[in-house]
Amino acid sequence: MNDCVFCKIAQGKIPADKIYEDEKFFSFLDINPNNPGHTLIIPKNHYENIYSLPDEILCDIGLLVKKISIAVKQGVNADGINIIMNNDSAAGQIIPHAHFHIIPRFADDGLHHWPGKPYPNKEEASEIAEEIKDSF
Ligand code: AMP
Ligand code: ZN
């Protein structure tokens, strides 16, 4: 895609702090990290989100997510790792080129998980589970 920032990074047209590159994938530091070492992984080809990622690319990127998570954890001596993929703007996706966030975590780093919103009752949870199962 012509005006996609991540396509441009993958093509070397916009500079980035490269972590990893192969024929199909590119990985680089997030410019606005949640913690030092926050890394992004993208397919070089433009796909907007997980829904449109070909299965083969998704399988390969899964292996890469594992490999780079281990490297980030060791590289910045993190205590843990969050792996996040935002899909659609409602879920916080800003750049419409599929990407995984590898976020190193440190004990007491001040970042908090989203608050839980318990179901009002068991019936509502069961109904929602049915709706999701019916959607496969
Ligand atoms: P998302 O909200 O999942 O779309 O996240 C997009 C991420 O891309 C954000 O964390 C940004 O800080 C990061 N980002 C945007 N532009 C660049 C860039 N030129 N180089 C590195 N990271 C970027
Ligand atoms: Zn793109």
Side-chain angles (χ1 to χ4, degrees):
M1 270 244 306
N2 280 344
D3 58 350
C4 172
V5 177
F6 284 0
C7 280
K8 286 181 182 159
I9 288 177
Q11 292 158 9
K13 293 177 182 165
I14 290 180
D17 290 297
K18 183 164 92 177
I19 298 292
Y20 175 90
E21 180 175 13
D22 64 24
E23 208 181 302
K24 292 186 204 158
F25 303 106
F26 197 89
S27 177
F28 52 102
L29 291 184
D30 194 296
I31 206 170
N32 186 25
N34 294 120
N35 269 328
H38 180 164
T39 297
L40 301 175
I41 306 174
I42 61 172
K44 285 186 171 176
N45 288 339
H46 185 91
Y47 305 102
E48 208 162 312
N49 45 43
I50 194 161
Y51 325 119
S52 54
L53 266 186
D55 290 354
E56 187 205 325
I57 298 282
L58 186 57
C59 290
D60 288 350
I61 212 168
L63 297 176
L64 197 53
V65 163
K66 176 181 174 183
K67 195 172 175 174
I68 292 178
S69 294
I70 292 168
V72 168
K73 189 166 189 273
Q74 285 180 2
V76 300
N77 204 17
D79 300 314
I81 294 281
N82 284 128
I83 296 163
I84 294 175
M85 183 186 202
N86 300 320
N87 293 281
D88 299 315
S89 57
Q93 185 176 12
I94 294 166
I95 307 281
H97 180 130
H99 55 279
F100 285 84
H101 295 255
I102 310 295
I103 303 174
R105 297 297 305 273
F106 303 90
D108 305 322
D109 63 13
L111 300 179
H112 298 289
H113 286 278
W114 296 311
K117 295 193 282 182
Y119 292 103
N121 51 57
K122 203 181 167 326
E123 290 67 39
E124 187 156 332
S126 303
E127 260 175 48
I128 288 173
E130 287 309 315
E131 278 164 20
I132 293 171
K133 286 188 273 185
D134 287 347
S135 303
F136 278 107

